[in-house]
Amino acid sequence: MSDVMEIPQSIKSDLRWVKICHKDDLVPNSGIAALVNQQQIALYYLPKQNNVVYAVDNWDPIAEAYVMSRGIIGDQDGVLCVASPLLKQHYDLATGKCLEVPEHTLGTWKTRWNNNELWLYTG
């Protein structure tokens, strides 16, 4: 058995996609933190939302703490969002924009599944 990760042919030419974890490592309808290229990222696996995994900064720019993976997922006026566990601002999971303080935004990343492995675009 080899320790080298086999990269599927379809993504060998695009090394900006990084394998993060297996689906079984995620907690459905909840957040989890991942360290990718020395950056903390909050991942939210929402199987009832077309099996989507949202990826945003784990850093809360208002509370100035790495806490977003512990936020509560919900809906704010039709926008799927996560509430900061410290100061309760809501961030749009698709855009990262803070709904109460729009000048604050979380970084966002594209994700995709390859079989049951989650990949994150770091480009």
Side-chain angles (χ1 to χ4, degrees), residues 38-104:
Q38 302 305 311
Q39 183 165 2
Q40 290 190 31
I41 296 175
L43 303 169
Y44 305 95
Y45 173 40
L46 304 176
K48 292 182 180 176
Q49 299 283 331
N50 295 323
N51 213 26
V52 170
V53 175
Y54 290 94
V56 301
D57 286 333
N58 196 32
W59 176 257
D60 180 339
I62 297 174
E64 297 186 348
Y66 290 100
V67 295
M68 293 309 298
S69 63
R70 297 175 184 249
I72 298 172
I73 300 166
D75 179 283
Q76 184 83 0
D77 298 327
V79 176
L80 186 62
C81 61
V82 59
S84 169
L86 294 180
L87 300 177
K88 311 304 183 205
Q89 285 85 10
H90 298 87
Y91 293 89
D92 183 328
L93 281 174
T95 66
K97 186 175 181 179
C98 181
L99 301 179
E100 292 86 7
V101 189
E103 60 267 25
H104 290 284

Side-chain angles (χ1 to χ4, degrees), residues 4-23:
V4 178
M5 179 177 66
E6 185 173 329
I7 299 173
Q9 185 66 38
S10 62
I11 57 175
K12 277 186 178 177
S13 62
D14 189 351
L15 296 179
R16 293 178 287 187
W17 283 96
V18 176
K19 178 183 163 188
I20 301 299
C21 62
H22 190 272
K23 184 182 275 187

